[in-house]
Amino acid sequence: MDRMSRKMSEAGVTPTRFENLPEYRRLMTHKAISAMAGVENPFYRSHEQAAGATTVIDGRQLINFASYDYVGANTHSKVKEAARAAIDRFGISSSASRLVAGERPLHAALEERLAQIYGTEASVCFVSGYLTNLALVSTLIGPRDLVIHDELIHNSVLAGIKLSGATRRFFRHNDPSDLEKVLSTIAGDFGRILVVVEGIYSMDGDIACLPELVKLRSRYGFWLMVDEAHSFGVLGATGRGTFEHFGIDPLSVDIWMGTLSKTAASCGGYIAGSRALIEILKAEAGGFVYSVGLAPVLAAAALSSITVLQENVERVASLRRNGHLFIELARQAGLNVGTSVGYSVVPVIIGDSLRAVQLSNDLFAAGINVLPIIHPAVQEGQARLRFFLTAEHTEEQIARTVRLTAEILGELVRRNVGLTAIDIQQVAGLIS
């Protein structure tokens, strides 16, 4: 027993048990509701091979719509060869912060390539996409500053704002006119103002109105940050992202953020922008300075995946065709795809969380792997299945998936499967 525990014991003080925390009781409530409805937990199923357009779980091959491998780079022979070569030369880990002793030539090569893509002076890579947003916002922004974000922005941005201590405002989803209202009514003396949006929104699959945002930037003088996690490799004729999609000068955006885990088939995140911005992050961002450098094998895989994308731009067109086909068939089948425009992400909005989970399970039984998204990841009443498209899905796979989704959902609605059929008082009794 350590000194603190001994003192607490002598004083008759015991720490709060984790089982008594509201967070834990909330989890137990969800489990009790699922148990009453006889709904199996669809999360944390283990894949037994590389997941792309198909996967294997529990020995069964499934059509897979739950992975981010947008252009099929994850299993590409050149990517695997590059990863093996990096392991042979550098081992697995960078073994230290890049500032101290973790720098490798692959880091510089990857960051140079990313800067070329965005036409910026420099870029820097982090070991996690979530950490990238957290580190950027909390480093660049402080208590005297203001961050304005789309109301559906990713949780990593919200975490960065909370850590920064900055004032936070939001505007209606993908509504530049509402952003202008917020900008025109700002009260207070803020040192810095940052506006954050996503290129393709990760839960809804629609595209930021970048031309209007750039116009507002020139009028109000804020920093504009675009999260390209789901749009790099997806938008634009060659997959360079939102700016290519709209034909906009990438230098009209101050901060480009993206992840290495989707089109780049690796792990990590990046920021591209001015040399001054990147130097600040490399010197001040705790998530860079005090974190181990990106593993050389991951840097090599990301760099090779980007090369595969650039040398095979027809994959971008194939992904686009598949996304457009999926959303067209879904609408014909009467499925609610919300505001998605049919690129990398297409949600099918169910509304009821329990019904969304059951639909996912029933589709799994029918040979289709797609996961539900429920509160708090989305707003109450907006539960959905989120379909990730790849360049390698076939028309037959897409058509079968949409047909079964519509048929099974229709049966669940007919049977009134969902929270509306659950006695919440009984649930409370189960966990009391």
Side-chain angles (χ1 to χ4, degrees):
M1 182 181 294
D2 62 31
R3 183 180 301 176
M4 178 63 72
S5 297
R6 189 162 51 250
K7 284 185 176 181
M8 292 175 66
S9 178
E10 291 170 356
V13 177
T14 57
T16 301
R17 293 177 61 84
F18 293 116
E19 292 85 346
N20 295 330
L21 294 178
E23 295 91 337
Y24 182 76
R25 294 183 67 80
R26 202 158 47 237
L27 288 172
M28 293 303 98
T29 300
H30 293 159
K31 288 186 176 182
I33 291 171
S34 296
M36 285 189 66
V39 176
E40 180 185 350
N41 185 346
F43 305 108
Y44 297 105
R45 288 177 175 139
S46 182
H47 295 250
E48 296 159 13
Q49 67 173 36
T54 61
T55 191
V56 173
I57 300 175
D58 295 336
R60 298 168 56 224
Q61 186 173 67
L62 304 154
I63 305 171
N64 184 42
F65 290 93
S67 299
Y68 308 134
D69 189 21
Y70 292 138
V71 297
N74 188 39
T75 55
H76 196 282
S77 59
K78 289 185 177 180
V79 175
K80 292 191 286 187
E81 288 167 10
R84 291 190 192 100
I87 291 173
D88 289 343
R89 181 177 176 187
F90 298 107
I92 303 300
S93 174
S94 291
S95 304
S97 163
R98 285 173 60 185
L99 184 69
V100 178
E103 189 74 11
R104 301 292 184 270
L106 285 165
H107 295 137
L110 175 58
E111 289 166 351
E112 182 179 354
R113 182 75 65 86
L114 289 165
Q116 289 173 352
I117 288 169
Y118 291 98
T120 58
E121 293 177 334
S123 78
V124 60
C125 290
F126 294 78
V127 293
S128 156
Y130 191 99
L131 179 66
T132 303
N133 277 334
L134 187 79
L136 180 284
V137 176
S138 62
T139 301
L140 206 59
I141 300 298
R144 294 183 56 193
D145 303 325
L146 172 67
V147 181
I148 309 172
H149 62 83
D150 187 287
E151 65 177 325
L152 300 185
I153 203 68
H154 194 270
N155 178 268
S156 55
V157 174
L158 300 179
I161 297 170
K162 183 177 181 180
L163 184 61
S164 75
T167 300
R168 178 172 74 92
R169 300 284 185 270
F170 67 87
F171 60 95
R172 286 196 300 268
H173 176 54
N174 220 6
D175 187 344
S177 63
D178 194 51
L179 170 59
E180 184 163 23
K181 289 180 183 177
V182 175
L183 289 164
S184 63
T185 57
I186 289 174
D189 183 18
F190 297 106
R192 304 168 183 177
I193 299 177
L194 174 67
V195 173
V196 190
V197 300
E198 297 180 32
I200 289 181
Y201 283 89
S202 59
M203 294 295 173
D204 292 85
D206 48 357
I207 303 172
C209 303
L210 190 57
E212 289 81 359
L213 296 170
V214 168
K215 290 176 184 176
L216 290 175
R217 171 184 174 269
S218 65
R219 194 176 308 157
Y220 289 93
F222 54 78
W223 287 329
L224 177 58
M225 174 178 173
V226 182
D227 180 335
E228 291 284 271
H230 293 273
S231 41
F232 173 62
V234 177
L235 295 180
T238 64
R240 293 174 70 193
T242 311
F243 74 88
E244 186 181 33
H245 176 79
F246 286 109
I248 289 175
D249 181 357
L251 298 182
S252 60
V253 171
D254 302 280
I255 303 166
W256 291 103
M257 177 272 173
T259 58
L260 301 174
S261 57
K262 299 172 179 65
T263 290
S266 181
C267 191
Y270 61 86
I271 297 292
S274 71
R275 191 170 305 282
L277 168 65
I278 302 308
E279 290 299 324
I280 290 169
L281 294 176
K282 293 177 76 171
E284 302 287 340
F288 181 86
V289 175
Y290 300 107
S291 182
V292 69
L294 188 68
V297 62
L298 295 177
L303 187 58
S304 182
S305 294
I306 293 171
T307 298
V308 167
L309 169 67
Q310 293 175 328
E311 292 179 351
N312 301 271
V313 294
E314 70 277 3
R315 291 173 179 246
V316 179
S318 295
L319 171 61
R320 185 169 301 134
R321 283 195 302 271
N322 284 342
H324 290 353
L325 175 63
F326 190 102
I327 202 167
E328 179 183 352
L329 293 177
R331 284 175 175 149
Q332 290 175 4
L335 297 172
N336 180 5
V337 295
T339 56
S340 176
V341 289
Y343 283 85
S344 52
V345 181
V346 180
V348 171
I349 300 172
I350 310 302
D352 185 285
S353 292
L354 199 63
R355 185 174 292 166
V357 172
Q358 187 60 59
L359 176 58
S360 173
N361 285 339
D362 289 349
L363 284 169
F364 183 79
I368 297 163
N369 187 48
V370 57
L371 274 292
I373 305 294
I374 59 179
H375 181 77
V378 292
Q379 298 168 332
E380 289 281 11
Q382 290 292 307
R384 64 199 59 195
L385 300 191
R386 185 169 56 157
F387 293 83
F388 295 111
L389 280 299
T390 78
E392 297 186 339
H393 280 114
T394 66
E395 292 184 6
E396 291 76 18
Q397 289 171 336
I398 292 169
R400 171 178 167 78
T401 297
V402 171
R403 176 177 57 79
L404 286 174
T405 300
E407 289 177 358
I408 295 171
L409 177 58
E411 177 61 18
L412 293 175
V413 171
R414 188 189 66 78
R415 289 165 41 206
N416 194 29
V417 172
L419 287 173
T420 54
I422 298 294
D423 186 338
I424 302 301
Q425 293 302 316
Q426 283 184 277
V427 174
L430 284 174
I431 63 171
S432 60

